Short mmCIF file of all heavy atoms in Angstrom, two decimals:
data_model
loop_
_atom_site.label_atom_id
_atom_site.label_comp_id
_atom_site.label_asym_id
_atom_site.label_seq_id
_atom_site.Cartn_x
_atom_site.Cartn_y
_atom_site.Cartn_z
N ARG A 1 0.87 -1.19 -0.03
CA ARG A 1 -0.06 0.07 0.04
C ARG A 1 0.92 1.17 -0.02
O ARG A 1 2.07 1.21 0.42
CB ARG A 1 -0.97 0.01 1.24
CG ARG A 1 -2.11 -0.91 1.20
CD ARG A 1 -3.14 -0.61 2.28
NE ARG A 1 -2.65 -0.57 3.63
CZ ARG A 1 -2.49 0.64 4.31
NH1 ARG A 1 -2.80 1.67 3.66
NH2 ARG A 1 -2.05 0.62 5.49
N ASP A 2 0.28 2.45 -0.37
CA ASP A 2 1.05 3.65 -0.35
C ASP A 2 0.42 4.64 0.50
O ASP A 2 -0.73 4.43 1.13
CB ASP A 2 1.29 4.28 -1.77
CG ASP A 2 0.08 4.53 -2.57
OD1 ASP A 2 -1.19 4.35 -1.94
OD2 ASP A 2 0.04 4.95 -3.74
N HIS A 3 1.00 5.76 0.73
CA HIS A 3 0.57 6.79 1.73
C HIS A 3 0.91 8.23 1.15
O HIS A 3 1.79 8.40 0.40
CB HIS A 3 1.42 6.54 2.99
CG HIS A 3 1.05 7.73 4.03
ND1 HIS A 3 -0.10 7.61 4.80
CD2 HIS A 3 1.72 8.93 4.37
CE1 HIS A 3 -0.13 8.55 5.65
NE2 HIS A 3 0.98 9.45 5.42
N GLY A 4 -0.21 9.02 1.24
CA GLY A 4 0.01 10.35 0.80
C GLY A 4 -0.82 11.41 1.43
O GLY A 4 -1.52 11.10 2.56
N ASN A 5 -0.96 12.62 0.88
CA ASN A 5 -1.78 13.65 1.38
C ASN A 5 -3.38 13.35 1.19
O ASN A 5 -3.71 13.01 0.13
CB ASN A 5 -1.40 14.93 0.78
CG ASN A 5 -2.13 16.12 1.38
OD1 ASN A 5 -3.31 16.37 0.79
ND2 ASN A 5 -1.55 16.91 2.07
N THR A 6 -4.17 13.72 2.19
CA THR A 6 -5.61 13.26 2.10
C THR A 6 -6.45 14.57 2.06
O THR A 6 -7.71 14.48 2.11
CB THR A 6 -6.07 12.47 3.27
OG1 THR A 6 -5.68 13.14 4.52
CG2 THR A 6 -5.36 11.12 3.39
N PHE A 7 -5.77 15.77 1.93
CA PHE A 7 -6.62 17.02 2.03
C PHE A 7 -7.71 17.08 1.02
O PHE A 7 -8.77 17.47 1.26
CB PHE A 7 -5.70 18.25 1.96
CG PHE A 7 -6.30 19.47 2.21
CD1 PHE A 7 -6.92 19.82 3.42
CD2 PHE A 7 -6.35 20.48 1.20
CE1 PHE A 7 -7.53 21.04 3.71
CE2 PHE A 7 -6.91 21.73 1.41
CZ PHE A 7 -7.54 21.97 2.63
N ASP A 8 -7.34 16.76 -0.35
CA ASP A 8 -8.33 16.70 -1.36
C ASP A 8 -9.52 15.75 -1.10
O ASP A 8 -10.73 16.05 -1.48
CB ASP A 8 -7.71 16.39 -2.71
CG ASP A 8 -6.91 17.53 -3.25
OD1 ASP A 8 -6.95 18.79 -2.74
OD2 ASP A 8 -6.15 17.40 -4.18
N MET A 9 -9.21 14.68 -0.56
CA MET A 9 -10.36 13.76 -0.16
C MET A 9 -11.31 14.33 0.98
O MET A 9 -12.38 14.16 0.83
CB MET A 9 -9.72 12.49 0.36
CG MET A 9 -8.93 11.68 -0.67
SD MET A 9 -8.25 10.10 0.08
CE MET A 9 -6.68 10.15 -0.72
N HIS A 10 -10.68 15.10 1.80
CA HIS A 10 -11.56 15.69 2.85
C HIS A 10 -12.33 16.76 2.19
O HIS A 10 -13.66 17.01 2.55
CB HIS A 10 -10.75 16.26 3.97
CG HIS A 10 -10.16 15.19 4.94
ND1 HIS A 10 -10.97 14.40 5.70
CD2 HIS A 10 -8.94 14.82 5.16
CE1 HIS A 10 -10.22 13.58 6.38
NE2 HIS A 10 -8.88 13.76 6.06
N ARG A 11 -11.85 17.48 1.31
CA ARG A 11 -12.60 18.60 0.54
C ARG A 11 -13.79 17.91 -0.18
O ARG A 11 -14.87 18.41 -0.17
CB ARG A 11 -11.73 19.31 -0.35
CG ARG A 11 -10.67 20.21 0.32
CD ARG A 11 -10.02 21.24 -0.55
NE ARG A 11 -9.29 20.69 -1.78
CZ ARG A 11 -9.80 20.81 -2.98
NH1 ARG A 11 -10.90 21.46 -3.31
NH2 ARG A 11 -9.18 20.25 -4.09
N LEU A 12 -13.43 16.86 -0.89
CA LEU A 12 -14.50 16.09 -1.69
C LEU A 12 -15.54 15.63 -0.61
O LEU A 12 -16.73 15.55 -1.10
CB LEU A 12 -13.87 15.00 -2.40
CG LEU A 12 -14.59 14.38 -3.59
CD1 LEU A 12 -14.95 15.50 -4.67
CD2 LEU A 12 -13.76 13.36 -4.30
N LEU A 13 -15.20 15.21 0.57
CA LEU A 13 -16.22 14.66 1.38
C LEU A 13 -17.18 15.75 1.91
O LEU A 13 -18.39 15.49 2.19
CB LEU A 13 -15.52 14.00 2.66
CG LEU A 13 -14.97 12.64 2.29
CD1 LEU A 13 -13.93 12.16 3.57
CD2 LEU A 13 -16.08 11.59 2.34
N HIS A 14 -16.68 16.97 2.10
CA HIS A 14 -17.54 18.07 2.41
C HIS A 14 -18.49 18.36 1.30
O HIS A 14 -19.63 18.71 1.48
CB HIS A 14 -16.72 19.29 2.67
CG HIS A 14 -16.32 19.24 4.13
ND1 HIS A 14 -17.05 19.70 5.32
CD2 HIS A 14 -14.99 18.91 4.73
CE1 HIS A 14 -16.38 19.50 6.46
NE2 HIS A 14 -15.13 19.08 6.14
N PHE A 15 -18.04 18.22 0.07
CA PHE A 15 -18.94 18.40 -1.01
C PHE A 15 -20.01 17.32 -1.09
O PHE A 15 -21.23 17.47 -1.26
CB PHE A 15 -18.16 18.30 -2.47
CG PHE A 15 -19.07 18.09 -3.68
CD1 PHE A 15 -19.86 19.15 -4.06
CD2 PHE A 15 -18.85 16.98 -4.41
CE1 PHE A 15 -20.68 18.84 -5.16
CE2 PHE A 15 -19.62 16.73 -5.51
CZ PHE A 15 -20.51 17.72 -5.94
N ALA A 16 -19.62 16.06 -0.76
CA ALA A 16 -20.48 14.87 -0.67
C ALA A 16 -21.49 15.13 0.38
O ALA A 16 -22.63 14.65 0.20
CB ALA A 16 -19.74 13.70 -0.54
N LYS A 17 -21.10 15.67 1.48
CA LYS A 17 -22.09 16.00 2.61
C LYS A 17 -23.15 16.87 2.12
O LYS A 17 -24.36 16.71 2.35
CB LYS A 17 -21.28 16.55 3.71
CG LYS A 17 -22.32 17.00 4.94
CD LYS A 17 -21.45 17.64 6.04
CE LYS A 17 -22.34 18.16 7.14
NZ LYS A 17 -21.67 19.00 8.08
N GLU A 18 -22.83 17.89 1.35
CA GLU A 18 -23.91 18.84 0.77
C GLU A 18 -24.85 18.00 -0.10
O GLU A 18 -26.10 18.40 -0.19
CB GLU A 18 -23.33 19.95 -0.03
CG GLU A 18 -22.54 20.96 0.77
CD GLU A 18 -22.14 22.18 0.02
OE1 GLU A 18 -22.09 22.09 -1.26
OE2 GLU A 18 -21.68 23.22 0.58
N GLN A 19 -24.34 16.95 -0.81
CA GLN A 19 -25.17 16.24 -1.73
C GLN A 19 -25.92 14.97 -1.02
O GLN A 19 -26.56 14.17 -1.65
CB GLN A 19 -24.41 15.70 -2.89
CG GLN A 19 -23.57 16.79 -3.61
CD GLN A 19 -24.45 17.90 -4.17
OE1 GLN A 19 -25.54 17.61 -4.79
NE2 GLN A 19 -24.17 19.12 -3.92
N GLY A 20 -25.66 14.82 0.16
CA GLY A 20 -26.27 13.74 1.02
C GLY A 20 -25.63 12.41 0.63
O GLY A 20 -26.22 11.27 0.93
N ARG A 21 -24.34 12.42 0.16
CA ARG A 21 -23.68 11.21 -0.10
C ARG A 21 -22.32 10.96 0.65
O ARG A 21 -21.58 10.25 0.18
CB ARG A 21 -23.42 11.22 -1.60
CG ARG A 21 -24.59 11.52 -2.49
CD ARG A 21 -25.70 10.55 -2.29
NE ARG A 21 -25.40 9.26 -2.80
CZ ARG A 21 -26.29 8.25 -2.65
NH1 ARG A 21 -27.45 8.38 -2.15
NH2 ARG A 21 -25.97 7.00 -3.12
N GLN A 22 -22.13 11.63 1.77
CA GLN A 22 -20.93 11.64 2.55
C GLN A 22 -20.62 10.28 3.08
O GLN A 22 -19.45 9.77 2.85
CB GLN A 22 -20.94 12.47 3.63
CG GLN A 22 -19.62 12.81 4.40
CD GLN A 22 -19.70 13.59 5.57
OE1 GLN A 22 -20.53 13.40 6.45
NE2 GLN A 22 -18.76 14.53 5.78
N ASP A 23 -21.51 9.49 3.59
CA ASP A 23 -21.18 8.14 4.20
C ASP A 23 -20.84 7.23 2.98
O ASP A 23 -19.94 6.39 3.20
CB ASP A 23 -22.38 7.64 4.94
CG ASP A 23 -22.02 6.43 5.76
OD1 ASP A 23 -21.17 6.66 6.71
OD2 ASP A 23 -22.55 5.33 5.49
N GLU A 24 -21.51 7.31 1.85
CA GLU A 24 -21.28 6.41 0.79
C GLU A 24 -19.83 6.62 0.25
O GLU A 24 -19.16 5.70 -0.03
CB GLU A 24 -22.22 6.63 -0.44
CG GLU A 24 -23.63 6.17 -0.12
CD GLU A 24 -24.43 7.11 0.72
OE1 GLU A 24 -23.95 8.18 1.03
OE2 GLU A 24 -25.63 6.78 1.02
N LEU A 25 -19.46 7.97 0.07
CA LEU A 25 -18.21 8.23 -0.38
C LEU A 25 -17.00 7.90 0.56
O LEU A 25 -15.95 7.31 0.22
CB LEU A 25 -17.94 9.72 -0.64
CG LEU A 25 -16.61 10.22 -1.22
CD1 LEU A 25 -16.26 9.47 -2.55
CD2 LEU A 25 -16.64 11.72 -1.53
N ILE A 26 -17.10 8.09 1.89
CA ILE A 26 -16.05 7.77 2.81
C ILE A 26 -15.89 6.23 2.84
O ILE A 26 -14.71 5.79 2.94
CB ILE A 26 -16.29 8.36 4.28
CG1 ILE A 26 -14.99 8.27 5.00
CG2 ILE A 26 -17.46 7.62 4.91
CD1 ILE A 26 -15.02 9.13 6.31
N GLY A 27 -16.92 5.48 2.81
CA GLY A 27 -16.80 4.00 2.74
C GLY A 27 -16.07 3.51 1.57
O GLY A 27 -15.20 2.75 1.64
N LEU A 28 -16.32 4.24 0.38
CA LEU A 28 -15.60 3.82 -0.86
C LEU A 28 -14.13 4.22 -0.79
O LEU A 28 -13.30 3.52 -1.29
CB LEU A 28 -16.33 4.53 -2.12
CG LEU A 28 -17.57 3.82 -2.41
CD1 LEU A 28 -18.34 4.81 -3.52
CD2 LEU A 28 -17.47 2.56 -3.08
N LEU A 29 -13.90 5.42 -0.23
CA LEU A 29 -12.52 5.81 -0.11
C LEU A 29 -11.59 4.91 0.87
O LEU A 29 -10.52 4.60 0.52
CB LEU A 29 -12.39 7.35 0.43
CG LEU A 29 -12.91 8.45 -0.54
CD1 LEU A 29 -13.08 9.77 0.31
CD2 LEU A 29 -11.88 8.52 -1.69
N TYR A 30 -12.30 4.51 1.97
CA TYR A 30 -11.56 3.56 2.81
C TYR A 30 -11.32 2.32 2.13
O TYR A 30 -10.06 1.82 2.19
CB TYR A 30 -12.49 3.22 4.07
CG TYR A 30 -12.45 4.26 5.23
CD1 TYR A 30 -13.59 4.56 5.89
CD2 TYR A 30 -11.17 4.77 5.68
CE1 TYR A 30 -13.57 5.56 6.90
CE2 TYR A 30 -11.17 5.67 6.75
CZ TYR A 30 -12.30 6.11 7.27
OH TYR A 30 -12.24 6.90 8.35
N ARG A 31 -12.30 1.77 1.40
CA ARG A 31 -12.08 0.39 0.70
C ARG A 31 -10.91 0.57 -0.33
O ARG A 31 -10.08 -0.23 -0.40
CB ARG A 31 -13.35 -0.04 0.18
CG ARG A 31 -13.11 -1.31 -0.56
CD ARG A 31 -14.35 -2.12 -1.11
NE ARG A 31 -13.95 -3.32 -1.77
CZ ARG A 31 -13.59 -4.36 -1.21
NH1 ARG A 31 -13.54 -4.53 0.10
NH2 ARG A 31 -13.26 -5.42 -1.90
N ALA A 32 -11.02 1.72 -1.14
CA ALA A 32 -10.08 1.91 -2.09
C ALA A 32 -8.67 2.01 -1.48
O ALA A 32 -7.71 1.42 -2.09
CB ALA A 32 -10.39 3.19 -2.92
N ASN A 33 -8.51 2.63 -0.44
CA ASN A 33 -7.14 2.97 0.13
C ASN A 33 -6.56 1.60 0.85
O ASN A 33 -5.38 1.35 0.68
CB ASN A 33 -7.16 4.00 1.14
CG ASN A 33 -5.82 4.28 1.75
OD1 ASN A 33 -4.81 4.38 0.96
ND2 ASN A 33 -5.74 4.55 3.04
N PHE A 34 -7.40 0.91 1.48
CA PHE A 34 -7.00 -0.27 2.24
C PHE A 34 -7.12 -1.57 1.64
O PHE A 34 -6.50 -2.50 2.04
CB PHE A 34 -7.70 -0.25 3.75
CG PHE A 34 -7.26 0.88 4.57
CD1 PHE A 34 -8.13 1.89 4.81
CD2 PHE A 34 -5.97 1.06 5.12
CE1 PHE A 34 -7.73 3.07 5.60
CE2 PHE A 34 -5.64 1.99 5.87
CZ PHE A 34 -6.44 3.13 6.10
N ALA A 35 -7.92 -1.73 0.68
CA ALA A 35 -8.22 -3.06 0.11
C ALA A 35 -7.91 -3.19 -1.33
O ALA A 35 -7.87 -4.25 -1.82
CB ALA A 35 -9.70 -3.41 0.37
N GLU A 36 -8.02 -2.10 -2.03
CA GLU A 36 -7.74 -2.20 -3.47
C GLU A 36 -6.27 -1.82 -4.00
O GLU A 36 -5.68 -1.01 -3.28
CB GLU A 36 -8.76 -1.32 -4.23
CG GLU A 36 -10.25 -1.77 -3.87
CD GLU A 36 -11.29 -0.89 -4.49
OE1 GLU A 36 -10.97 0.17 -5.19
OE2 GLU A 36 -12.49 -1.03 -4.16
N GLU A 37 -6.00 -2.27 -5.11
CA GLU A 37 -4.61 -2.17 -5.57
C GLU A 37 -4.42 -0.76 -6.08
O GLU A 37 -3.14 -0.15 -5.88
CB GLU A 37 -4.26 -3.21 -6.70
CG GLU A 37 -2.78 -3.14 -7.10
CD GLU A 37 -2.56 -4.27 -8.10
OE1 GLU A 37 -3.40 -5.17 -8.29
OE2 GLU A 37 -1.49 -4.30 -8.74
N ARG A 38 -5.21 -0.12 -6.73
CA ARG A 38 -4.98 1.16 -7.33
C ARG A 38 -4.90 2.24 -6.28
O ARG A 38 -5.74 2.35 -5.45
CB ARG A 38 -6.15 1.53 -8.38
CG ARG A 38 -5.80 2.73 -9.13
CD ARG A 38 -6.86 2.93 -10.27
NE ARG A 38 -6.82 4.15 -10.90
CZ ARG A 38 -7.73 4.75 -11.69
NH1 ARG A 38 -8.81 4.01 -11.96
NH2 ARG A 38 -7.66 5.97 -12.26
#
């Protein structure tokens, strides 16, 4: 796995909150970072 800056992800999560999709996005971000290759 790799490691980097997460600021843009947090900004995107605030946008998702406005759209009522925050929980869906954070779950996908977690899975992508910890379980997926890309």
Side-chain angles (χ1 to χ4, degrees):
R1 284 195 307 108
D2 60 3
H3 176 80
N5 179 283
T6 58
F7 188 62
D8 285 349
M9 297 181 215
H10 287 295
R11 294 195 301 109
L12 200 57
L13 282 165
H14 276 279
F15 166 64
K17 179 185 174 185
E18 287 187 347
Q19 307 301 312
R21 311 300 294 178
Q22 189 188 45
D23 193 65
E24 289 82 359
L25 180 57
I26 198 169
L28 289 168
L29 287 169
Y30 276 137
R31 178 170 178 79
N33 184 42
F34 291 108
E36 298 176 3
E37 185 173 350
R38 186 176 172 190

